Amino acid sequence: MPSAPCTPGACVESGRVVGGGPRAVLRVVSLLVVVATGIALIPVVARVPAGPRDRLIRWWCRTIVRAAGVRLHTTGAAPPTGGLLLVANHISWLDIPLLAAVRPARMLAKAEIRRWPLAGALTASSGALFIERDRLRALPETVGSIARSLRDGGAVVVFPEGSTWCGRARGSFRRAAFQAALDADAAVQPVRLRYRRDGGALSTAPAFVGSDSLLTSVWRVVSARHLVAEVRVGPVLPPGSAPDRRALARAAETATTHLAAGHPAPTRSIPAVHPHTRAARPNTEAHAHL
């Protein structure tokens, strides 16, 4: 299974309590209230038309981030409709509401998340697609589920690194999920996530890595001073812009690297593949690393 060398002791800074424990406790309570209220209202929000519903979800996700004491800074935007594979680097549990604030989407999540308190119920109720990372034979079925969602005009969020990293280091993008975008003839949108102090210095306090428990990570976030979450949404990689999933994964990873440097990805085009050539590729290639 994909893994990162990052560990809490070596990579992750401790949170500095804001005005003592009471402020951090207040943030925890606010966070729980916001998340629990959202879960309770899911049956009601599900009846709202798509446009207003997406705006409500985006507002709610931004409120989750702010309730944790984190300021949000977003540049760029995602297309509001149409099949879209959102791909991003992975650092924290905060990444999930951050990306949903860009565009509400189904999340590709590891099956273990189902067992998390509160977060597991929230993830399942959002329509997440779960992947059993220790069952390679289940991978083509997961890729097929992603492709069906994209064909139906939905958005799916994938973290192609396959594991969380501390934010200073990063992993390579695995290829399998990009096969779904090729099969569905859907666009891919790279997103770069970064956490920093208000003064500009990179912060690893939000990282959720190694042996961290969810509660430990949440407490570190709510205890941190002047934390800012940066979401940089890159240009869309349109359907047909890459001949295969390897090239598409490489293009998306390169785009996130350029976004991390603060400038857009280069406009170099990737030779497109002829439709008949794409159809001839066996889907069994989805067995490659995620």
Side-chain angles (χ1 to χ4, degrees), residues 12-18 21 23-33 35 64-65 67-70 91-95 97 116-119 204-209 212-225 227:
V12 182
E13 66 195 57
S14 60
R16 297 170 58 191
V17 174
V18 183
R23 178 68 64 87
V25 170
L26 181 60
R27 287 178 173 177
V28 170
V29 173
S30 299
L31 185 59
L32 291 174
V33 168
V35 172
I64 289 175
V65 176
V70 180
I91 300 171
S92 172
W93 52 272
L94 272 172
D95 300 348
W116 289 5
L118 199 59
T204 60
F208 182 34
V209 295
D212 252 350
S213 70
L214 180 59
L215 292 178
T216 299
S217 181
V218 170
W219 181 255
R220 193 166 53 239
V221 169
V222 299
S223 300
R225 296 174 63 91
L227 202 57

Side-chain angles (χ1 to χ4, degrees), residues 31-45 60 64 122 125:
L31 185 59
L32 291 174
V33 168
V34 171
V35 172
T37 301
I39 293 175
L41 291 177
I42 284 175
V44 177
V45 175
W60 177 56
I64 289 175
L122 175 60
S125 62

